[in-house]
Amino acid sequence: MTTTVVSLSVALLLSVLAGIALGPTVVPPGDVVHFLIAALTGGSIQAEDVTGYSIVWHVRTPRVLLAAVVGAGLSVVGVAIQALVRNALADPFVLGISSGASVGAAAVVVFGVFAGLGVYAISAAAFAGALGATVLVYLAARGPLGLTPLRLLLTGVALTYGFQAVMSMLVFLSPNAQAARTVLFWLLGSLGGASWQSLPLVTVSVVVSIVVLLRSSRALDVLSMGDETAASLGVDAQALRRRLFLLTAVATGLIVAVSGAIPFVGLILPHMLRILVGSTHRRVFVIAPLAGACFLVWVDVLARTLVPPEELPLGVITALVGVPVFITLMRRRGYLFGGR
């Protein structure tokens, strides 16, 4: 386990440096390190290096770091959601949070809602939509027995279709011919709007999620055995499920607000990591952030470099990778959700 963590940590560091260096304009790794040191220490650079420094520090570094944070967050939340609803097909977007965010984003693109916030309008509206979706899902899913996995899952799926219908109607009725393209690109995920200002809040959210989920890992192991078994072992399944729902909803909302909806990351990686380290949640939560961060950094590199100067939506690449991987996992002899 220690070897795996060290290996992934080194891989993440190298991936971040490579992600900063690679792009339509390639910056030599030595220059990348020099520019980063200069930026962090207040050092000086030569006049002819100003353009390269600007690309590295102001454009690529916040984007690559945001990719790492979003990848880490989606992986960890994916593990938690699968435990929350006890379903192998669950991912961070199964509860309708991302679809609610998409309604908020579409409202900005189509009607100019929150336009006074400038470049932060889409993120703010998306997060507001995600919070609204969270409240609706909770109120609709809560029954006499509290939040049960099946009610939560079915409610999330049903409201997802409803939010998607609302978003489609907004785009269809829009007089803006570019609205559909803009909303579609956002729905498939993009880090094109990354900046230093977009990093702190989502980073804090992901770090808090990781810490809380690590502390709850034993309870999640028990929860996966069923509510009756959890109660016999002293775990309040309903209280735990409410805390998990709130935590994952807020984290998902903040992630989607800065990156759009990026599919398959929170679905595929938890299964792959369980094969690698077993189904114990503590082990999975330790390596999930590192693996997810590495994966999304390289996805973003491909999105920026495959068809320059255009950028591919991140969801296109994650789907092209995720579909064959998921099919391979399904055909793997003896593999089942949570273990062998």
Side-chain angles (χ1 to χ4, degrees), residues 27-41 43-46 48-57 61:
V27 181
D31 289 350
V32 170
V33 174
H34 171 65
F35 294 151
L36 291 178
I37 293 175
L40 293 173
T41 62
S44 60
I45 58 172
Q46 301 297 321
E48 61 269 19
D49 293 332
V50 170
T51 299
Y53 173 84
S54 181
I55 292 174
V56 166
W57 184 247
T61 299

